[in-house]
């Protein structure tokens, strides 16, 4: 059953984490997303050593062990958080650049359209809003040195991405409690 997360303003399937902290940390993308609460001692556990400070300062730092696992999802999550006001340093921007150069050319247009529409803010309901968002995404990617990657691989898909964002967000505004319907919508199959 999907659960509403008020801090994200999104409904998604609830996740159960593994029982080994080290393995779970290695599966995270950024240090600010690798914080854990210990209810017995009532403390936040920061296995990376920088996660708390990075979360407080809105810094995106790739987890060292996950560098080799940079993929399209992590690349797009980087820009999702960047557009929400997070920053990064030159080292991590270089990792993201490397990921963009190696990942985007390998992906099909349909995969890029689907995944970029997933990171768009849920409040977008019109084509004009979707196009404005894509301009912001291009500006963010250009600021990180990835303007050429955007122009070569995403710009040709802008009309389809904008349409998909609007279509997906219309469906997202409908209350969905059925797990299978939610999965079908997430897969782009519809209701």
């Amino acid at each position: 059953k999907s659960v509403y997360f008020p801090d994200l303003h999104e409904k998604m399937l609830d996740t159960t984490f593994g029982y080994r902290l080290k393995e779970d940390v290695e599966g995270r993308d950024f240090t600010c997303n690798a914080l854990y609460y210990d209810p017995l001692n009532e403390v936040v556990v920061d296995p990376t050593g920088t996660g708390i400070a990075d979360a407080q300062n809105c810094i995106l730092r790739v987890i060292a062990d996950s560098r080799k696992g940079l993929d399209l999802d992590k690349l797009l999550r980087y820009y999702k958080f960047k557009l929400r006001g997070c920053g990064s340093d030159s080292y991590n921007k270089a990792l993201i650049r490397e990921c963009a150069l190696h990942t985007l050319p390998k992906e099909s247009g349909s995969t890029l359209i689907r995944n970029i529409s997933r990171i768009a803010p849920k409040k977008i309901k019109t084509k004009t809003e979707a196009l404005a968002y894509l301009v912001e995404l291009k500006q963010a990617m250009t600021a990180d040195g990835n303007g050429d990657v955007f122009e070569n691989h995403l710009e040709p898909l802008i009309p389809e991405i904008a349409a998909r964002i609007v279509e997906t967000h219309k469906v997202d505004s409908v209350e969905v409690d059925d797990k299978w319907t939610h999965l079908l919508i997430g897969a782009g199959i519809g209701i």
Side-chain angles (χ1 to χ4, degrees):
K1 184 175 181 179
S2 59
V3 177
Y4 180 75
F5 291 85
D7 57 330
L8 300 174
H9 306 289
E10 295 181 20
K11 282 181 88 172
M12 60 186 73
L13 296 177
D14 198 13
T15 306
T16 303
F17 299 105
Y19 64 93
R20 294 184 188 188
L21 187 61
K22 182 181 184 309
E23 290 172 1
D24 196 73
V25 170
E26 290 173 358
R28 302 283 152 207
D29 43 14
F30 308 110
T31 56
C32 60
N33 291 338
L35 298 173
Y36 304 86
Y37 182 70
D38 175 354
L40 297 177
N41 296 308
E42 297 182 351
V43 297
V44 174
V45 178
D46 182 1
T48 67
T50 62
I52 292 173
D54 289 348
Q56 290 171 333
N57 296 308
C58 291
I59 300 295
L60 296 171
R61 187 183 324 266
V62 175
I63 293 178
D65 291 339
S66 71
R67 278 187 301 220
K68 62 184 177 245
L70 284 175
D71 58 12
L72 181 63
D73 285 339
K74 291 175 185 175
L75 171 70
L76 295 179
R77 281 176 51 80
Y78 172 86
Y79 283 106
K80 176 180 181 176
F81 293 125
K82 182 156 178 122
L83 289 173
R84 290 181 178 178
C86 292
S88 194
D89 60 16
S90 59
Y91 175 77
N92 284 279
K93 286 179 184 179
L95 289 175
I96 293 300
R97 168 85 176 151
E98 183 180 326
C99 178
L101 288 171
H102 289 93
T103 304
L104 290 180
K106 296 177 185 176
E107 298 294 341
S108 69
S110 61
T111 298
L112 293 172
I113 292 165
R114 181 180 60 249
N115 285 307
I116 291 173
S117 69
R118 286 178 47 217
I119 67 164
K122 301 299 182 208
K123 66 182 181 179
I124 295 176
K125 301 294 181 211
T126 68
K127 184 176 180 180
T128 302
E129 292 171 337
L131 292 171
Y133 166 74
L134 293 169
V135 167
E136 290 177 25
L137 178 60
K138 180 179 182 179
Q139 291 170 343
M141 290 183 75
T142 300
D144 284 350
N146 287 317
D148 60 330
V149 177
F150 185 94
E151 290 169 4
N152 292 332
H153 303 287
L154 302 179
E155 201 159 291
L157 302 172
I158 284 178
E160 292 91 346
I161 296 169
R164 178 67 184 252
I165 290 170
V166 172
E167 174 190 322
T168 303
H169 292 180
K170 282 182 183 175
V171 172
D172 285 345
S173 65
V174 175
E175 287 297 316
V176 178
D177 287 326
D178 179 87
K179 173 180 155 183
W180 296 110
T181 303
H182 187 77
L183 290 172
L184 290 173
I185 291 169
I189 297 170
I191 299 177

